[in-house]
Amino acid sequence: MTHQPALPTLAAADPEVAGLVEDEAKRQHEKIRLIASENYVSQAVLEATGTVLTNKYSEGYAGKRYYEGQQLIDQVETLAVERAKSVFGAAHANVQPYSGSPANLAAYLAFAKPGDKVLGMALPAGGHLTHGWSVSATGKWFEPVRYGVRKETGRVDLDEVRELALQHRPKLIFAGGTAIPRTIDFPAFAEIAREVDAVLVADIAHIAGLIAGGAHPSPVGHAPVITTTTHKTLRGPRGAMILSDEEHAKAIDKAVFPGLQGGPHNHTTAAIAVALGEAAKPEFREYAHAIVANAVALGEALSERGFELVSGGTDNHLLLVDLTSKQVGGKPAAQALDRAGIELNYNTVPFDPRKPFDPSGIRLGTSAITTRGLTPEHQPQIAEWIDRTVTAAATGDEATITGIAAEIRELLSAYPIPGYSA
Ligand code: DSN
C-alpha cells in the first residue's frame, strides 16, 4: 500500500518528507478516526490540492485582481463561488478565507469595532475560541459575553441567550461551535438577533456537510452571515468559506481582502470547487444521513455500556462523552484510545470541574468512518473497543490495548481510505 497519488518524484528528491507522508497515510489507514472535525477527502480533492495552482498570486476577486495572468484562476474561483451558492442556496459566497478562524475574524472586521460587545457560546460549553474566548484575539479586542447550556439538558439555553442579548446589546451574535451534539435552532437565534439589532453569524464549520446533504436545518434565510470550514463534514480540503445575503456581501469581501488576507490559496480553491461538486450529488445526501445514523448508533451503544453522553445523545455527527463515572480523565483515555487504534480528542464537558488541558470528557464524530464505509452495524463493536480500552487505561492494562489495536487493523484492512491503496 502506498500514498495515492504516488510520490516517486518526492521520494527521490526528499526521501525524508516522502517517508513521513507515507507513514502518515499508513497511520490514517490503521486508525479508526473519530475526531469530529476530521474526514478523508476524495482522491479528486487530493489531486486538485496538489496542482500548479499553488504557484499563482491572485489578490482581489474574479475580474478585479492586482496581478496579471488570471484567465484561468478567475474561472476556478468563480466555479467554487457558484457551486457554494448553489449547494447552500446562498446569495453570496466568499471562498478565500484560509481557515475557520480567519473566516470568523472577517465577520468581526466587517461588522464590529474593537471594544464592541459580541455574544458567543462559551468554549467549555461547546463554543469556539474565535467566538470571544479570552485567550483569542476575539476575546482580547472585543468585549465578549458568553452563553452556555442548561445543566439538566446539556442543550443551549435560548432564554439565557435572549436575556444576555437584551442586557448587553452585542454587535455580533455567534450561533454554532465545536462540541454541540444537538440541532442548532437558527430561527430562534435570528429572532433574538433581530430584537437587539445584532448581526447573526452562524458558524457551521462542523455541520456544513450535514446541511449540504439535508441532514441538519440550514441557517440560510435566518443568519445573514454564515462561516464555515470546508474540511469537516463537508469533506473538502482545509479551507473556509463565508456565505451571506446580498446586504452583507460587500462588507464580507472587503474584510477578507484587503482587510485580513493577501492572495487566496488557489490550489485550495480548486479543491473546494471539487468538494462542492461532490456535495451537490445525490450520493452526498445519503452520506450526510449515514453520518448521523452512525453517530446515533454509536451513542446508543456507548450508553448501553454506561457511558454518559452530554445531552443524552446526538442529532448530528458528534458525541460528547463525560468519563467521570468511568473514573478516568479525558486525556489519559484519549491517549490510550490512540494506542488502541481509535483517534479522537479529549474535551471539556459543560460545567467541567477539571482544566481544559486535562478535562473530563472525550469528543467523537462519525464523518470519517462513514466516508470509509463503516455502518451502524459496526458501532456496537467500536463501543466495545472504546469500553475495553477505557477500562484498560484506568487499570494500566497495556496488553489489552495492544490486542485491540490488532483487532482494529484487521477490521480496517477491508475499508481502505482514499489516498492510500495498493
Ligand atoms: N479544530 C476545530 C475542531 O476540532 O472542532 C476547532 O477549531
Side-chain angles (χ1 to χ4, degrees), residues 68 105 135 141 161 176 203 291 312 328 351-352 368 377 411:
E68 294 311 313
L105 268 182
V135 294
W141 296 342
V161 177
D203 180 342
I291 293 173
V328 61
F351 309 99
D352 204 327
E377 285 71 51
L411 170 78

Side-chain angles (χ1 to χ4, degrees), residues 121 125 147-158 160 180-183 310-315 350-351:
M121 195 175 197
Y147 60 88
V149 293
R150 284 202 183 99
K151 198 160 192 171
E152 323 77 65
T153 62
R155 294 174 189 243
V156 171
D157 185 342
L158 282 159
E160 184 198 14
I180 304 173
R182 294 298 181 178
T183 301
V310 171
S311 84
T314 184
D315 298 327
F351 309 99

Side-chain angles (χ1 to χ4, degrees), residues 35-38 101 128-129 177-179 206 231-232 238 345 363:
I35 293 180
S37 47
E38 293 182 354
S101 297
H128 189 254
L129 281 166
T178 62
H206 266 263
H231 47 267
K232 298 185 174 90
R238 299 199 72 99
N345 67 283
R363 187 185 69 158

Side-chain angles (χ1 to χ4, degrees), residues 10-79:
L10 180 62
D14 195 330
E16 202 176 353
V17 170
L20 291 170
V21 175
E22 287 292 351
D23 289 351
E24 172 62 10
K26 181 169 186 287
R27 190 198 68 77
Q28 292 191 15
H29 171 73
E30 290 180 347
K31 292 269 175 79
I32 292 181
R33 171 169 282 182
L34 291 178
I35 293 180
S37 47
E38 293 182 354
N39 210 329
Y40 306 103
V41 299
S42 70
Q43 189 78 28
V45 169
L46 265 185
E47 287 181 15
T49 310
T51 58
V52 294
L53 273 60
T54 195
N55 296 337
K56 191 74 194 113
Y57 245 115
S58 54
E59 285 180 352
Y61 293 100
K64 288 169 281 177
R65 306 279 191 187
Y66 289 82
Y67 296 76
E68 294 311 313
Q70 309 296 339
Q71 295 83 353
L72 291 313
I73 295 298
D74 275 3
Q75 293 182 54
V76 169
E77 188 170 321
T78 301
L79 204 54

Side-chain angles (χ1 to χ4, degrees), residues 52-352:
V52 294
L53 273 60
T54 195
N55 296 337
K56 191 74 194 113
Y57 245 115
S58 54
E59 285 180 352
Y61 293 100
K64 288 169 281 177
R65 306 279 191 187
Y66 289 82
Y67 296 76
E68 294 311 313
Q70 309 296 339
Q71 295 83 353
L72 291 313
I73 295 298
D74 275 3
Q75 293 182 54
V76 169
E77 188 170 321
T78 301
L79 204 54
V81 165
E82 291 306 319
R83 287 182 183 177
K85 284 160 62 178
S86 162
V87 164
F88 291 95
H92 179 75
N94 185 311
V95 296
Q96 294 194 5
Y98 299 141
S99 204
S101 297
N104 282 343
L105 268 182
Y108 286 87
L109 183 60
F111 307 114
K113 296 219 166 2
D116 278 349
K117 288 187 177 171
V118 296
L119 178 58
M121 195 175 197
L123 187 73
H128 189 254
L129 281 166
T130 55
H131 298 175
W133 197 241
S134 47
V135 294
S136 154
T138 61
K140 293 182 193 295
W141 296 342
F142 299 88
E143 197 181 321
V145 182
R146 299 175 187 119
Y147 60 88
V149 293
R150 284 202 183 99
K151 198 160 192 171
E152 323 77 65
T153 62
R155 294 174 189 243
V156 171
D157 185 342
L158 282 159
D159 293 335
E160 184 198 14
V161 177
R162 182 166 180 268
E163 276 165 29
L164 288 169
L166 288 170
Q167 186 187 340
H168 295 281
R169 307 199 75 86
K171 277 275 162 49
L172 294 179
I173 299 178
F174 278 89
T178 62
I180 304 173
R182 294 298 181 178
T183 301
I184 300 169
D185 189 344
F186 294 119
F189 271 100
E191 205 179 309
I192 295 167
R194 257 194 310 274
E195 220 178 329
V196 299
D197 201 21
V199 176
L200 176 62
V201 182
D203 180 342
I204 61 166
H206 266 263
I207 53 175
L210 304 184
I211 292 167
H216 187 291
S218 172
V220 172
H222 304 293
V225 178
I226 300 165
T227 60
T228 183
T229 51
T230 45
H231 47 267
K232 298 185 174 90
T233 50
L234 191 56
R235 211 165 56 178
R238 299 199 72 99
M241 306 189 294
I242 305 177
L243 311 170
S244 76
D245 59 13
E246 291 292 2
E247 185 190 337
H248 296 80
K250 217 169 163 183
I252 285 293
D253 283 353
K254 261 178 76 180
V256 174
F257 177 84
L260 284 171
Q261 296 190 174
H265 294 175
N266 297 308
H267 54 304
T268 302
T269 307
I272 290 173
V274 175
L276 288 166
E278 292 172 359
K281 294 196 172 126
E283 303 90 272
F284 198 86
R285 290 188 80 78
E286 284 166 32
Y287 169 62
H289 286 91
I291 293 173
V292 178
N294 272 337
V296 169
L298 181 56
E300 284 169 2
L302 287 168
S303 287
E304 278 166 23
R305 292 181 167 276
F307 284 90
E308 195 187 314
L309 308 185
V310 171
S311 84
T314 184
D315 298 327
N316 54 34
H317 65 303
L318 187 146
L319 294 154
L320 195 54
V321 180
D322 186 342
L323 292 174
T324 307
S325 65
K326 295 281 180 182
Q327 285 159 352
V328 61
K331 189 173 188 176
Q335 289 170 337
L337 285 161
D338 190 46
R339 295 197 296 283
I342 296 175
E343 55 175 335
L344 44 70
N345 67 283
Y346 54 88
N347 218 96
T348 49
V349 295
F351 309 99
D352 204 327

